[in-house]
Amino acid sequence: MRIFSATLATETNTFSPLPTSIEAFKESVFLRPGEHPADAPRMCTAPLFVARQRAARDGFKLIEGSCFAASPAGKVNQADYEFMRDEVLAQLRDALPLDAALFGLHGAMVAHGYDDVEGDLLEKARGIVGPKCVIGVEHDPHCHMTLKRIRNCDIMICYKEFPHTDVSDRAEDLLTLVLRTLKGEVKPVMSLYDCRQIGSYPTTLPLMRGFVDRMMALEGKDGILSVSAVHCFPYGDVEELSGRILVVADGDKSKADALAMRLGEEYVSMRGKTMPQFLSVTDGVKAAMEEREGPVVIADPADNAGGGAPTDNTTILRQLIAMNTTGAAIGPIWDPVAVRLCFDAGAGARFPLRFGGKIGPASGPPVDATVEVGAVARDCWQTFGPTQVPLGDCAAVKIGGVEAVLITKRTQALGLELFANVGIDPLARKILVVKSTNHFMGAFGPIAKRVIYVESDGPLARDYRKIAYAKVRRPIWPLDAETQPGLVF
Ligand SMILES: [Zn+2]
């Protein structure tokens, strides 16, 4: 058996002022065959990583393709997308004959000229490998699950957890189903229910937790192979943005349809009940200061790099300084120039620094302060579930009782290393402000005495009615009160 695997991934915020070029991929994940690290998957490369570990045991030859992934930002440069796509497709052609192809795709990538990048890639891949080759795809649930993709693959699986701690587990599921299909043990058929809704569904909150647990309990029984809840990516203005339920069944399309409808209707009934409560910045900081024990974790989802935000909004930081907070640390703030200046000044130096507040109006004003440089560290990393995520060179700066972690490779707060890399013990701080929607919960949830979500003036509005959509198909909740959910595949 011959199986090919490759990755092409980013999550495109079509409203972001930060264009995404091939340089952003080179900064994050740009791995040609033979260059894949052996220790852990990188972002969306779990299908290749898992297949490599299982190839000998499961009796197939893995042909490794390129893996390209970038931190979320604005639309991808068209020529750069086509270059990466064509490299993967050429590798696919060279690998023929193939029994299967595994793609690790984020699922919400938009390039100039391509609103459905993954659909384009899968359609062209299908054209190369032919109808008999089994195409298996892993997606992030924050994706656009378009019909073009479903028509051009055999098995599609999304991560179930948000925070996405199960990227490798779902890649294992995908590979197992692909191998079972090749052995003739199962014959996957898919059904897709469109809930016509935009929402956010952290699985750390009880309603979605219960929904996901029940989804998982349905798998492997009564002819159901896999169930995925598509959360959607609210900041990608494309026609098929919507929450959807995807069911993969064994040969019985009517069974897949029935379950997709049942779960889809339940998902619709959860509208407006799956997000945490948000406090204003002032109330959030005040509430954190009033707690007797720390660390109290304040989340800033509106400035989450994981949703394509610049991550240089200063509103919460300025509030912490204005309220004379002590024992507080905030991170990450993306400012490569300021990091460079801190390295030049050196650890322990005091000097006037302007940082943050650079990329756009939603970044707020920069902070001008005499800072004390804490630790500076080259080439830092943080851990997210089974994956490693680069932070680049980092510096900690102190203004009164507040420390800020400045980074050079734009990403959200995921692992405790974000702070520990630059000498800040997160357990020893009263308040930790993290720029992240919910992925921070994987590492920071267990150490937090309390978690407070605030709505800052960062660019990712939590009220989707405030977003200037132009392409999203209407009607859709919460933009429209009346919608028509239903089976679409
Ligand atoms: Zn996601």
Side-chain angles (χ1 to χ4, degrees):
M1 278 193 293
R2 291 169 58 79
I3 299 179
F4 173 86
S5 186
T7 282
L8 184 49
T10 188
E11 182 183 65
T12 301
N13 180 331
T14 58
F15 304 98
S16 169
L18 289 167
T20 301
S21 77
I22 202 162
E23 297 306 318
F25 291 83
K26 286 180 179 169
E27 195 174 82
S28 292
V29 178
F30 200 84
L31 301 166
R32 261 60 185 264
E35 296 174 0
H36 298 282
D39 60 336
R42 297 285 188 270
M43 288 168 89
C44 300
T45 68
L48 183 148
F49 187 78
V50 163
R52 181 196 274 172
Q53 289 179 317
R54 286 174 55 177
R57 173 160 47 100
D58 287 321
F60 63 88
K61 178 175 169 52
L62 175 69
I63 299 99
E64 299 190 0
S66 293
C67 289
F68 304 122
S71 255
K75 279 192 193 180
V76 179
N77 175 297
Q78 181 170 344
D80 288 350
Y81 161 57
E82 290 169 349
F83 172 81
M84 292 183 283
R85 175 197 67 190
D86 292 348
E87 178 169 316
V88 167
L89 293 176
Q91 292 165 341
L92 188 67
R93 202 172 287 114
D94 289 346
L96 294 174
L98 285 168
D99 298 287
L102 300 169
F103 289 100
L105 310 176
H106 179 285
M109 182 166 168
V110 177
H112 287 281
Y114 298 89
D115 276 4
D116 182 5
V117 159
E118 292 81 358
D120 177 57
L121 176 71
L122 291 174
E123 185 180 53
K124 289 185 167 64
R126 176 60 85 196
I128 290 167
V129 299
K132 282 192 188 138
C133 175
V134 178
I135 297 182
V137 182
E138 186 181 36
H139 262 14
D140 186 296
H142 300 112
C143 64
H144 311 297
M145 191 59 77
T146 69
L147 291 184
K148 195 174 189 178
R149 299 172 197 190
I150 299 298
R151 289 192 187 110
N152 286 290
C153 72
D154 298 281
I155 303 165
M156 171 76 80
I157 289 181
C158 293
Y159 322 144
K160 290 187 172 67
E161 301 295 333
F162 178 32
H164 305 328
T165 49
D166 61 333
V167 293
S168 293
D169 297 333
R170 299 293 80 81
E172 298 272 3
D173 294 351
L174 179 68
L175 178 57
T176 298
L177 286 180
V178 165
L179 291 172
R180 292 186 67 198
T181 306
L182 291 177
K183 288 178 197 153
E185 293 173 12
V186 294
K187 195 176 177 305
V189 291
M190 294 191 282
S191 292
L192 186 65
Y193 186 94
D194 187 350
C195 301
R196 306 305 307 143
Q197 63 195 34
I198 304 173
S200 180
Y201 310 87
T203 54
T204 40
L205 293 175
L207 188 60
M208 190 60 182
R209 177 75 262 145
F211 189 68
V212 167
D213 288 344
R214 273 179 290 119
M215 274 166 49
M216 291 178 85
L218 291 163
E219 294 178 337
K221 284 179 213 138
D222 199 26
I224 299 302
L225 301 176
S226 169
V227 182
S228 293
V230 176
H231 298 194
C232 86
F233 179 58
Y235 310 102
D237 186 14
V238 296
E239 191 188 346
E240 286 186 75
L241 185 166
S242 184
R244 295 180 165 186
I245 296 291
L246 176 69
V247 173
V248 189
D250 182 11
D252 190 340
K253 174 75 172 139
S254 60
K255 195 174 268 181
D257 285 352
L259 184 60
M261 278 173 68
R262 179 161 73 77
L263 292 174
E265 284 164 12
E266 188 178 340
Y267 207 31
V268 169
S269 77
M270 290 158 61
R271 287 177 182 178
K273 301 172 193 162
T274 58
M275 291 227 276
Q277 188 205 344
F278 287 87
L279 299 184
S280 71
V281 170
T282 315
D283 289 349
V285 172
K286 207 183 282 172
M289 288 171 76
E290 280 163 7
E291 288 289 327
R292 213 175 301 156
E293 267 189 278
V296 178
V297 174
I298 300 178
D300 182 10
D303 195 28
N304 172 19
T311 325
D312 69 343
N313 178 286
T314 55
T315 301
I316 299 178
L317 172 60
R318 283 183 288 111
Q319 187 70 33
L320 291 169
I321 296 168
M323 291 172 80
N324 292 314
T325 316
T326 54
I330 180 169
I333 291 176
W334 179 59
D335 193 333
V337 174
V339 171
R340 165 71 199 271
L341 298 175
C342 289
F343 269 85
D344 289 345
R350 281 177 66 81
F351 79 117
L353 177 69
R354 166 171 287 196
F355 66 98
K358 279 193 178 63
I359 297 300
S363 300
V367 170
D368 279 294
T370 298
V371 303
E372 182 184 329
V373 182
V376 291
R378 297 273 181 212
D379 192 24
C380 298
W381 292 75
Q382 60 180 343
T383 305
F384 180 48
T387 67
Q388 289 290 309
V389 180
L391 295 157
D393 296 345
C394 295
V397 294
K398 194 164 187 195
I399 308 118
V402 183
E403 290 159 293
V405 177
L406 311 179
I407 64 168
T408 47
K409 292 193 174 180
R410 199 176 49 84
T411 185
Q412 65 182 300
L414 298 169
L416 302 182
E417 303 99 321
L418 169 67
F419 294 101
N421 285 328
V422 283
I424 299 171
D425 176 4
L427 282 162
R429 294 300 180 274
K430 171 79 187 298
I431 299 173
L432 296 170
V433 182
V434 290
K435 291 178 181 281
S436 172
T437 300
N438 205 55
H439 286 340
F440 72 92
M441 282 296 282
F444 291 86
I447 68 159
K449 288 284 185 295
R450 180 181 172 191
V451 175
I452 297 169
Y453 293 84
V454 301
E455 167 109 59
S456 79
D457 56 352
L460 308 183
R462 308 307 296 166
D463 180 351
Y464 308 119
R465 290 168 300 184
K466 291 180 183 163
I467 300 174
Y469 295 111
K471 293 188 176 176
V472 174
R473 190 186 302 151
R474 308 288 289 264
I476 191 165
W477 181 87
L479 314 185
D480 306 294
E482 295 291 322
T483 62
Q484 286 106 40
L487 273 179
V488 287
F489 186 87

